[in-house]
Structure formats: structure tokens, C-alpha cells
Amino acid sequence: MIYRAVLALILSSAGPALAEELQLAFPLDCTLGQDCHIQQYMDHDPSSAAQDYRCSGLTYDGHKGTDFALPDLAAMDAGVFVRAAAGGMVKGVRDGMDDGAPLSQVQGRECGNGVVIDNGNGWETQYCHLKRGSLRVTDGQQIAEGDVIGQVGQSGRAAFPHLHLSLRHNGEPVDPFDAGGTDCAAEPSETLWQDTPPYRPGGLIAVGFADHVPNYAAIKAGGAGRETLPTDAPALVIYGYSYGTQKDDVLRLSLSGPNGVVIEKDVVMDKPQAQSFRAVGKRMASRKWPPGRYTGTATLLRAGRVIDEKNGFVTVR
């Protein structure tokens, strides 16, 4: 592959110690799998197709970085700090772009509000899609690893709130998950992370409950789920909000209450989707639902294997 050949040349010409000179710290104040996830990795396929560093499709054609996503707009509004993955000198800053602006307003500024840091020895890191007004650094400033740069936003070309982190050496993109250009069928031979985030080829962002099938915009905003429902709710609905699903993936949704299983159903995904949700529910058959605690489980399966699972609870009273 062209990408791997170029990367091998970069690393070999610089000497074996170069990759050891830069080790990245995790760049967000969040916990992967709980309140953030990796939505997309770097594209390793030089053709018009796309493939991440583990032979899966959690990327898109030409993607040159790693996208760390928040679960919803509510999390973005609450504020999640972006921190320098490595120290260096700030060599570029942009702020003032609106979060969630239409694409027609971001042409030529797809990174949105962002920061570029010169990390030395030809390395630089770039942070994109930061929240408007949240940046805390200035051009020429020396910053240390872990210093706050700003907050996660949705500025520029961004369909959801996330940080796009790019790593380059002498202007060429480098995937910190696989700096050695290993064949994707094998474990990467060289990582540039201090503590490499675990790989997940897709997963669940959230599981939630409502008395009707919620609007997708409400799910993405973080306002769809309910912690309590009345005993006379017209229906009990469970939904699973997922990312990186592939055709024929199965989303298993189940809801149980004081009297046992309310509903359990497998939903088969009909196409690949970066983010999506599915919901199942049951209409009230009697005058009232039994009061108490109800447990819901969303399980994402691929070729019969569990990719991810999340549990949630709703109280009926």
C-alpha cells in the first residue's frame, strides 16, 4: 500500500529512535466506552475504499486522523476539555466559528476552530472542531503535555461533537495506532500512544427509554431518554444509539420489569452507518404498567459475536 510504503520510509530514514521521541497522552477529559468513544480511525486504504488499521471499516475515504466523539450535544454543552497530547509550541490557532454551522459556511475551514502544535523533530499535532470561544492558547505559546487547549465542539465540517486529532511527521500523516505500518491482519508493531486506547470496531453510544419512538434529533441532542415514566404511559420503548455498524449487524434490545420480559427483539442493520438508532416497544395492554424498576439491555452483535453491550434502568411509578 502507498500509505505504508511512505510511512516506512519516514520512520527508517529518521532512525529507529524517532518514533520513541513522541508519545501521545490521551487528549480528552473523558473515559472511553463510558462518556466518549472513537468514532473513526485513520484510513489506510489508498483506493477509493476505506479501511482502518485493523482491517475494519471504522473510517472513511481519505480520513487523516482519529475522531474522539461525545455521546450528544448535551455533553458538548456541559464542556469536555481537550488537552495537549504532547507538548510543544503553538503554531496556529483559529476560533470564532459557530458549532453546527451548515457546510456552505465552512468551505476552506473544514477543521473549524482548531490548534496546531509543533512538537519538535518534524512532528506536529492538530486539534479540530473545538467549541467556539473555548480555546485557551495563543500563537507562539509553549505548552506542556496535558495543558488545556479548549473544549470539544462541532465547528467546521462536523456532523456530531468530536475532536479530530491529526498527527504528522515532516508534513506526512502518521497513524499513532500503527506507526510502523503493520499489516492490518496482525497486531500493530509500533504505537505512539503512552497507553494505547483499546480498539473497538463499532459499538453503543447509549441505551435509553421513552413512552414513544423518539426523534433522532432528540437522541443526538441528549434529551430523548427518560429516567422515570408514569404507570399510564401509552407504551414502553427502549432504544439503542450505535456507531460504526455494518450491514447485517444485529442490535438486540430487551426490556424487563417486575413481571418479567416486556419485549425482546433483534433488529438487523440493513446498511453500514456511522451513527444510528433503533427502537422497539410495547403498547400498554392493560390499564397500567406494574410500578417498579425496569432493566433494559442493548447488545450489538457482528457475525454472532458481541461487539458491545450497555444496560440501563427506568423507573415506572
Side-chain angles (χ1 to χ4, degrees), residues 1-314:
M1 289 185 180
I2 296 173
Y3 165 80
R4 297 187 190 282
V6 170
L7 182 56
L9 179 62
I10 292 171
L11 294 176
S12 62
S13 63
L18 181 56
E20 298 176 3
E21 293 180 6
L22 186 77
Q23 290 285 295
L24 302 179
F26 190 71
L28 293 184
D29 278 0
C30 66
T31 302
L32 278 177
Q34 295 183 23
D35 50 4
C36 63
H37 64 278
I38 296 178
Q39 176 69 47
Q40 279 134 354
Y41 294 90
M42 187 170 170
D43 178 22
H44 283 245
D45 192 323
S47 74
S48 59
Q51 182 174 267
D52 64 33
Y53 79 103
R54 295 310 308 271
C55 300
S56 192
L58 201 61
T59 185
Y60 60 85
D61 185 33
H63 192 233
K64 294 181 173 62
T66 306
D67 290 345
F68 298 87
L70 301 185
D72 47 48
L73 292 171
M76 183 189 84
D77 291 341
V80 176
F81 286 129
V82 174
R83 296 182 180 274
M89 185 188 74
V90 177
K91 60 179 291 187
V93 175
R94 180 168 58 213
D95 200 349
M97 294 181 65
D98 290 337
D99 295 284
L103 293 181
S104 60
Q105 297 181 14
V106 304
Q107 297 298 322
R109 301 180 296 165
E110 284 79 5
C111 176
N113 303 318
V115 175
V116 177
I117 298 175
D118 183 345
N119 306 111
N121 294 318
W123 292 99
E124 65 179 22
T125 42
Q126 183 173 14
Y127 305 77
C128 294
H129 311 310
L130 304 186
K131 187 196 296 187
R132 179 179 180 179
S134 74
L135 276 72
R136 296 192 177 186
V137 297
T138 58
D139 277 325
Q141 179 180 345
Q142 287 286 341
I143 61 173
E145 173 196 309
D147 284 352
V148 173
I149 293 173
Q151 293 184 1
V152 179
Q154 194 181 334
S155 58
R157 189 180 180 90
F160 50 87
H162 70 283
L163 165 70
H164 172 97
L165 174 66
S166 293
L167 174 66
R168 293 183 288 269
H169 184 254
N170 293 333
E172 294 290 341
V174 177
D175 188 346
F177 288 89
D178 185 17
T182 308
D183 187 292
C184 64
E187 286 289 334
S189 62
E190 190 166 17
T191 174
L192 296 182
W193 294 102
Q194 294 176 12
D195 187 10
T196 306
Y199 177 80
R200 192 182 293 277
L204 292 161
I205 301 171
V207 57
F209 309 91
D211 61 4
H212 62 284
V213 175
N215 180 281
Y216 192 21
I219 290 176
K220 292 189 288 185
R226 298 290 179 264
E227 295 182 355
T228 62
L229 290 170
T231 56
D232 61 353
L236 294 184
V237 173
I238 176 174
Y239 65 85
Y241 183 22
S242 59
Y243 70 95
T245 54
Q246 299 181 2
K247 186 178 185 297
D248 297 327
D249 280 357
V250 173
L251 181 60
R252 178 169 296 156
L253 296 168
S254 65
L255 179 64
S256 299
N259 292 350
V261 175
V262 176
I263 189 170
E264 184 173 68
K265 186 174 182 179
D266 286 358
V267 182
V268 180
M269 300 299 188
D270 59 355
K271 61 182 178 180
Q273 289 186 279
Q275 291 186 351
S276 62
F277 89 99
R278 298 291 188 273
V280 299
K282 186 174 182 179
R283 295 184 182 279
M284 184 171 58
S286 59
R287 296 184 63 181
K288 288 188 177 182
W289 298 103
R293 193 186 201 204
Y294 288 67
T295 301
T297 302
T299 307
L300 182 63
L301 300 102
R302 181 168 299 163
R305 183 171 67 89
V306 174
I307 297 296
D308 198 5
E309 185 171 272
K310 281 190 180 295
N311 298 305
F313 308 94
V314 62

